[in-house]
């Protein structure tokens, strides 16, 4: 039936005008959940109701999440497999005289770069052969379980107000508009799984701060839980003191103790345990001559740009959960609004507390690698930072593009030369740190006064090569590491399962005091070392001159000292990119005839999506495998397991870091060992169930007899890539030392006269954690 509108003089379905006018023009979206547990497996349903515009034949819908989320990649090829995503059409009610929609099908695909930053990861639904009416519905099932699939694995890190955003192209014109009213939910921690301890590794006698927190299986600090247990302090002489502990039941499950005085010189052991949780341990060395070591994370994002949770949350986490001494907030310069920047700077000033917690404002200059690449700018002074304009009123952003610019991209300080010019008149008030992230730094550019450190480890991976390259070029740069945290877990936190796949780093700073001025001077003086997130210690000096200094010396000895928690296995001294000297602590302790290790690591490429995705097995014949243990595996989705009597299978990813599997064999002499690994890449486009192989090195094959391995000690295969390598090696059955110190005579190094030698030490622990000292820049007299 149709209705002849008496006043308007035309024919239209009865009541449709009023109903469509009452609908949101672009539609609305609802979600089945308001709360999810980080890392859980589930099915999430989102329902898009078509708005007053309707959807044309050839229209499309995008369901998008932010690119930093490590929610498992969706797939559309196998409805019985994990992370299957589907879309189902449901017709709405019709009014008298209204024709039904003619849509024949919906086609679903997933594209990691399917929309604009930050909402890039997109499920795209194409309308096929017909149109949709206002009020029709599309049900999207993430992790559709109807055909037997296990569901989808949720993002593994905590986020308040995680957002699904829907965009529609109602006309099929490839012009998308955001549907008002994002679907938001909270991703919350899972149940307590393990305790974590944060203590200084080296300190003078007196009160020692001890921070204890409870984490879920993905490394999130749990909230609103009742966790009680005990803290035990074992002195160097074996005396034990026990203390009951109860973590906060409000907010984060954390306890900080500042009243534990350790006076006896030597190494103390600290243990924390609670019923049902994995215990934690740490070591503290008490030394009257210990330098003051602060731990800094100078590269932390909040949701002002592309981080997780707000700035207050991230600063609080760094101070109260990670137990940092120094934190640097970093806003992507092109993306932060002036309002958000001003509010962040004011908040940072309130958090900055001389004597306890140093907090710096900063930006990330986000130029493409062809224009200089990513550089952090740390504003060291108490004065208002020069951003978004320099002292002369010139823009200092790389460019400006955010939601408030309505799609316009405004050029700024570009290329890197313009950024140097903005701050060159006050180098003491600024610190520029080139780093390897999404847009890796290009070392064709360098400003010796502004750039005093380079970031060589972060959640993006480990980058020994960038430090070696910088020093080879003659740049006087020190070592630093930061989290580059996008997941709200700064301070060397746990990695995500996506492109931020490594533990975040930390910078050790030898500072005379705890305030912006003194820490800033230490950073600019390069009195630093870098760790892969641990509270390890790495010290290097020549006489009275510390790492980072420029030294003229014809003779003398390098003194080094390393302290860790899991035992040092190797030390290497480099002159820029040239290996000069090394110690193998496994060999020094005595190699075992039964203990061997498979170690793999490195990255595919130097740029973004650098991860090498390893999948395969180590097969041992002629001997039985009595025990296996993995080291360096970063989260539950990286694992190894027994696969029959003769094989150990593995699945892991390295981003410049290394992973290892130790095996105890019944008899190495008669064994045959063979490694067969495929190497895949990150799925940017295509089916996640069929990831592309690494085009430069698609596999790693390594075979050796036990007799040959006994003789050689180690066999390896260096692959095409960035420090990409697989090795089989004998190891010791003895405990490795947690403290290593020694002296290296300059005369034994054969240093060429007439030039400067940047000498730095790097070392690795059994758990595959790593440290780098800043270089000593030594010239012969």
């Amino acid at each position: 039936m149709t209705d002849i509108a008496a006043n308007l003089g035309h024919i239209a379905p009865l009541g449709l005008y009023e109903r469509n006018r009452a609908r949101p023009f672009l539609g609305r979206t609802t979600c089945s959940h308001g709360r999810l547990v980080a890392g859980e497996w589930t099915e999430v349903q989102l329902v898009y109701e078509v708005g007053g515009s309707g959807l044309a034949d050839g229209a499309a819908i995008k369901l998008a999440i932010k690119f930093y989320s490590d929610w498992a990649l969706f797939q559309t090829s196998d409805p019985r497999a994990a992370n299957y995503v589907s879309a189902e059409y449901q017709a709405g009610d019709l009014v008298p005289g209204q024709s039904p929609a003619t849509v024949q099908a919906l086609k679903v695909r997933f594209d990691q770069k399917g929309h604009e930053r930050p909402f890039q990861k997109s499920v795209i639904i194409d309308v096929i052969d017909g149109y949709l009416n206002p009020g029709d519905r599309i049900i999207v099932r993430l992790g559709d379980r109807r055909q037997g699939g296990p569901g989808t694995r949720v993002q593994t890190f905590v986020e308040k107000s995680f957002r699904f955003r829907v965009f529609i192209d109602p006309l099929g014109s490839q012009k998308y508009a955001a549907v008002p009213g994002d679907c938001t939910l909270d991703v919350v921690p899972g149940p307590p799984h393990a305790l974590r301890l944060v203590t200084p590794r080296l300190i003078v006698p007196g009160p020692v701060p001890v921070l204890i927190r409870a984490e879920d299986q993905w490394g999130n600090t749990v909230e609103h839980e009742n966790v009680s247990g005990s803290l035990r302090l074992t002195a160097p002489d074996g005396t034990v003191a026990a203390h009951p502990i109860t973590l906060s039941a409000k907010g984060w499950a954390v306890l900080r103790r500042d009243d534990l005085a350790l006076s006896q010189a030597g190494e103390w052991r600290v243990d924390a345990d609670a019923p049902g949780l994995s215990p934690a341990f740490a070591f503290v060395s008490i030394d009257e001559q210990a330098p003051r070591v602060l731990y800094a994370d100078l590269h932390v994002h909040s949701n002002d740009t592309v981080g997780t949770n707000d700035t207050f949350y991230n600063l609080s986490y760094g101070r109260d959960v990670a137990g940092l001494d120094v934190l640097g907030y970093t806003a992507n310069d092109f993306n932060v609004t002036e309002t958000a920047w001003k509010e962040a700077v004011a908040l940072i000033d309130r958090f900055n507390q001389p004597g306890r917690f140093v907090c710096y404002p900063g930006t990330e200059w986000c130029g493409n690698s062809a224009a200089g690449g990513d550089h952090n700018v740390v504003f060291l002074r108490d004065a208002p930072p020069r951003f978004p304009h320099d002292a002369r009123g010139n823009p200092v952003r790389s460019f400006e593009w955010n939601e408030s610019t309505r799609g316009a991209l405004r050029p700024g300080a570009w290329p890197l030369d313009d950024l140097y010019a903005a701050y060159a008149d006050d180098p003491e008030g600024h610190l520029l740190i080139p780093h390897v992230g999404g847009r890796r730094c290009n070392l064709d550019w360098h400003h010796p006064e502004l750039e005093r450190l380079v970031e060589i480890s972060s959640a993006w991976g480990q980058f020994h090569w960038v430090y070696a390259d910088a020093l080879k070029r003659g740049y006087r740069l020190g070592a630093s590491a930061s989290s580059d945290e996008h997941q709200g877990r700064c301070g060397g936190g746990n990695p995500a399962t996506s492109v931020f796949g490594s533990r975040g780093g930390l910078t050790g700073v030898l500072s005379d005091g705890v305030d912006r001025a003194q820490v800033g001077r230490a950073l600019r003086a390069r009195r630093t070392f870098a760790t892969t997130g641990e509270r390890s210690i790495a010290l290097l000096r020549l006489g009275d001159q510390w790492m980072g200094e420029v030294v003229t010396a014809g003779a003398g000895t390098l003194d080094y000292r390393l302290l860790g928690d899991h035992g040092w296995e190797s030390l290497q001294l480099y002159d820029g990119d040239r290996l000069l000297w090394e110690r193998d602590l496994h060999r020094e302790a005595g190699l075992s005839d039964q203990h061997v290790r498979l170690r793999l690591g490195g990255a595919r490429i130097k740029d973004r999506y650098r991860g090498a995705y390893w999948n395969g097995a180590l097969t041992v014949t002629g001997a039985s495998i009595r025990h296996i243990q993995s080291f360096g595996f970063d989260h539950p989705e990286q694992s190894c397991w027994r696969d029959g009597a003769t094989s150990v299978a593995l699945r892991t990813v390295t981003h410049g870091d290394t992973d290892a599997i130790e095996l105890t064999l019944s008899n190495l002499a008669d064994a045959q060992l063979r490694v067969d690994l495929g190497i895949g890449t990150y799925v940017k486009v295509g089916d996640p169930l069929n990831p592309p192989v690494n085009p430069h090195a698609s596999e790693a094959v390594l075979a050796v007899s036990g007799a040959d391995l006994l003789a050689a000690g180690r066999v390896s295969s260096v692959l095409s890539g960035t420090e990409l390598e697989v090795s089989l090696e004998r190891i010791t059955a003895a405990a490795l030392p947690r403290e290593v110190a020694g002296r290296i005579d300059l005369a034994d190094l054969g240093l060429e006269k007439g030039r400067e030698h940047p000498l730095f030490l790097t070392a690795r622990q059994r758990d595959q954690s790593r440290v780098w000292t800043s270089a000593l820049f030594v010239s012969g007299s």
Side-chain angles (χ1 to χ4, degrees):
M1 177 185 296
T2 60
D3 172 50
I4 301 175
N7 295 328
L8 300 179
H10 67 263
I11 297 173
L14 181 63
L16 184 60
Y17 176 83
E18 291 79 7
R19 190 166 76 170
N20 284 351
R21 292 289 291 180
R23 298 182 188 280
F25 183 70
L26 297 176
R28 63 170 65 93
T29 312
T30 57
C31 181
S32 59
H33 291 69
R35 180 180 180 274
L36 292 168
V37 175
E40 74 169 299
W41 285 84
T42 190
E43 176 182 306
V44 177
Q45 293 185 24
L46 293 108
V47 178
Y48 170 68
E49 182 179 308
V50 180
S53 66
L55 293 180
D57 187 353
I61 304 162
K62 292 180 182 177
L63 172 64
I65 61 177
K66 292 184 177 181
F67 89 96
Y68 60 69
S69 174
D70 72 342
W71 199 301
L73 300 182
F74 302 117
Q75 55 91 12
T76 60
S77 59
D78 186 352
R80 293 172 297 280
N83 303 302
Y84 182 69
V85 59
S86 67
E88 176 184 340
Y89 168 73
Q90 287 188 350
D93 296 332
L94 301 175
V95 300
Q98 182 184 8
S99 297
T102 59
V103 60
Q104 299 295 301
L106 300 174
K107 183 178 180 180
V108 186
R109 51 199 166 97
F110 174 65
D111 188 342
Q112 292 241 57
K113 293 284 189 176
H115 198 71
E116 294 178 356
R117 176 187 175 114
F119 287 92
Q120 290 177 300
K121 293 182 177 179
S122 302
V123 174
I124 304 172
I125 304 162
D126 294 299
V127 176
I128 306 298
D129 292 341
Y131 66 88
L132 275 71
N133 278 322
D136 290 352
R137 295 183 175 186
I138 295 175
I139 302 173
V140 181
R141 290 180 171 87
L142 306 178
D144 190 338
R145 288 172 160 171
R146 292 177 297 175
Q147 298 186 59
T152 184
R153 198 264 296 136
V154 171
Q155 173 178 296
T156 67
F157 53 90
V158 170
E159 184 168 6
K160 296 179 179 179
S161 298
F162 174 95
R163 293 180 181 275
F164 293 105
R165 182 165 292 178
V166 172
F167 301 87
I168 65 166
D169 168 20
L171 302 177
S173 63
Q174 294 302 302
K175 184 67 174 178
Y176 284 85
V179 175
D182 296 343
C183 286
T184 63
L185 53 83
D186 290 333
V187 182
V188 301
H193 173 75
L195 294 179
R196 291 288 181 267
L197 271 170
V198 178
T199 67
R201 186 60 183 86
L202 178 65
I203 196 169
V204 297
V208 175
V210 175
L211 190 148
I212 310 156
R213 65 178 184 259
E215 295 181 346
D216 69 9
Q217 66 168 333
W218 295 98
N220 300 297
T221 302
V222 301
E223 301 174 9
H224 310 298
E225 294 280 353
N226 293 307
V227 177
S228 295
S230 66
L231 180 71
R232 294 187 311 282
L233 305 175
T234 305
D237 64 4
T239 305
V240 177
H243 304 265
I245 56 172
T246 299
L247 278 56
S248 174
K250 292 184 178 180
W252 287 308
V254 172
L255 172 66
R256 181 179 175 117
R257 294 284 299 269
D258 292 300
D259 59 341
L260 301 171
L262 307 185
S263 57
Q264 188 180 137
E267 185 183 75
W268 292 66
R269 180 178 173 118
V270 184
D271 289 274
D273 58 56
L277 305 186
S278 297
F281 68 89
F283 294 91
V284 180
S285 291
I286 304 299
D287 186 341
E288 289 275 6
Q289 305 303 315
R292 187 168 200 165
V293 179
L294 307 179
Y295 287 92
D297 188 347
L298 296 172
H299 192 170
V300 176
H301 295 278
S302 77
N303 65 4
D304 288 344
T305 50
V306 292
T308 302
N309 299 323
D310 61 28
T311 303
F312 182 88
Y313 179 101
N314 280 272
L315 300 182
S316 299
Y317 189 99
R319 183 189 63 189
D320 301 332
V321 178
L324 289 169
D325 303 299
V326 183
L327 185 145
Y329 161 93
T330 313
N332 292 90
D333 69 337
F334 73 90
N335 209 202
V336 66
T337 65
E338 289 196 45
T339 298
W341 170 253
K342 290 177 181 177
E343 291 174 351
V345 171
L347 185 61
I348 289 163
D349 287 342
R350 293 202 298 273
F351 266 80
N352 184 61
Q353 188 177 353
R356 183 193 172 196
F357 184 64
V358 175
C359 201
Y360 291 113
T363 63
E364 181 174 353
W365 187 86
C366 297
N368 291 331
S369 296
D374 281 348
H375 283 64
N376 283 351
V377 181
V378 185
F379 298 102
L380 301 176
R381 297 196 186 280
D382 287 322
R386 296 182 188 176
F387 184 86
H389 299 93
D390 66 13
R392 297 176 294 278
N394 299 314
V396 293
R397 300 177 189 265
S398 51
F399 56 93
E400 186 176 6
W401 178 83
N402 53 48
E403 293 184 22
S404 67
T405 63
R406 300 184 182 277
L409 191 152
R410 302 168 182 164
W414 192 287
L416 185 57
D417 313 62
D418 284 350
L419 186 70
Y420 292 155
Y423 302 121
D425 66 320
D426 182 23
E428 297 299 322
H430 299 86
L431 176 65
L432 271 60
I433 306 177
H435 69 272
V436 180
R439 299 157 297 270
R440 66 178 170 97
C441 60
N442 186 333
L443 295 177
D444 292 349
W445 279 262
H446 175 56
H447 193 296
E449 288 302 311
L450 290 169
E451 296 173 353
R452 308 304 291 262
L453 303 174
V454 61
E455 187 181 283
I456 55 181
S457 181
S458 74
W460 287 100
Q462 296 174 20
F463 313 108
H464 174 92
W465 58 266
V466 78
Y467 196 35
D469 186 12
L471 297 178
K472 180 183 178 182
R473 292 171 182 249
Y475 302 163
R476 290 175 175 170
L477 289 172
S480 75
S482 298
S483 65
D484 196 351
E485 184 57 35
H486 289 64
Q487 281 87 38
R489 300 185 299 205
C490 61
N494 290 44
T497 66
S498 188
V499 293
F500 305 104
S502 290
R503 291 184 58 85
L506 288 175
T507 301
V509 186
L510 276 61
S511 177
D512 294 330
V514 187
D515 58 56
R516 283 179 176 173
Q518 293 185 89
V519 173
R521 284 194 293 270
L523 292 168
R524 286 187 48 81
R526 301 178 292 257
R527 294 188 65 170
T528 61
F529 59 88
T531 87
T532 51
E534 301 75 26
R535 302 298 173 106
S536 305
I537 295 284
L539 305 175
L540 181 68
R541 59 186 176 88
L542 179 62
D544 294 330
Q545 294 176 293
W546 284 95
M547 50 198 179
E549 295 189 54
V550 179
V551 182
T552 299
T557 57
L558 296 170
D559 290 274
Y560 63 86
R561 187 180 186 187
L562 301 170
L563 295 103
D565 289 334
H566 291 88
W568 297 100
E569 65 178 27
S570 67
L571 288 71
Q572 297 174 318
L573 181 74
Y574 279 87
D575 177 7
D577 65 338
R578 186 169 68 96
L579 178 63
L580 289 181
W581 170 96
E582 61 183 327
R583 286 181 65 181
D584 181 343
L585 280 303
H586 283 284
R587 189 173 292 276
E588 289 182 18
L591 298 179
S592 168
D593 292 345
Q594 294 179 294
H595 293 77
V596 297
R597 176 170 69 178
L598 168 64
R599 198 158 69 89
L600 47 90
R604 296 190 312 108
I605 56 175
K606 293 180 177 178
D607 295 286
R608 196 196 299 261
Y609 307 116
R610 60 187 56 86
Y613 286 68
W614 308 86
N615 188 19
L618 165 62
T619 301
V620 179
T621 55
S624 60
I625 302 171
R626 292 179 172 174
H627 184 260
I628 64 171
Q629 186 173 3
S630 63
F631 295 90
F633 286 53
D634 294 312
H635 53 72
E637 290 185 358
Q638 297 180 2
S639 60
C640 65
W641 60 94
R642 295 288 293 264
D643 189 17
T646 62
S647 185
V648 177
L650 68 92
R651 179 182 61 249
T652 192
V653 187
T654 61
H655 299 79
D657 56 313
T658 54
D659 294 350
I661 303 172
E662 295 186 5
L663 294 85
T664 304
L665 305 181
S666 61
N667 177 15
L668 180 57
D670 297 328
Q672 297 288 328
L673 296 87
R674 181 181 174 89
V675 177
D676 291 279
L677 299 174
I679 307 174
T681 71
Y682 187 68
V683 182
K684 289 184 284 186
V685 178
D687 185 358
L689 297 182
N690 294 286
V693 298
N694 178 22
H696 301 291
S698 61
E699 63 180 8
V701 178
L702 191 61
V704 65
S705 70
D708 288 345
L709 190 59
L710 279 169
R714 182 178 186 269
V715 296
S716 63
S717 175
V718 178
L719 307 170
S720 296
T722 303
E723 302 174 336
L724 199 65
E725 184 175 7
V726 176
S727 65
L728 285 167
E729 50 205 28
R730 294 174 63 196
I731 57 175
T732 187
L736 291 167
R738 290 185 295 273
E739 179 171 356
V740 178
R743 312 187 84 183
I744 306 169
D745 196 326
L746 286 180
D748 295 336
L749 297 177
L751 299 179
E752 179 186 346
K753 295 182 179 180
R755 74 174 183 88
E756 185 173 275
H757 297 271
L759 305 179
F760 73 96
L761 194 72
T762 182
R764 192 187 309 275
Q765 293 195 79
R766 185 187 185 196
D767 67 347
Q768 303 306 294
S769 63
R770 198 169 179 183
V771 294
W772 296 261
T773 70
S774 286
L776 269 161
F777 300 90
V778 180
S779 297
S781 56

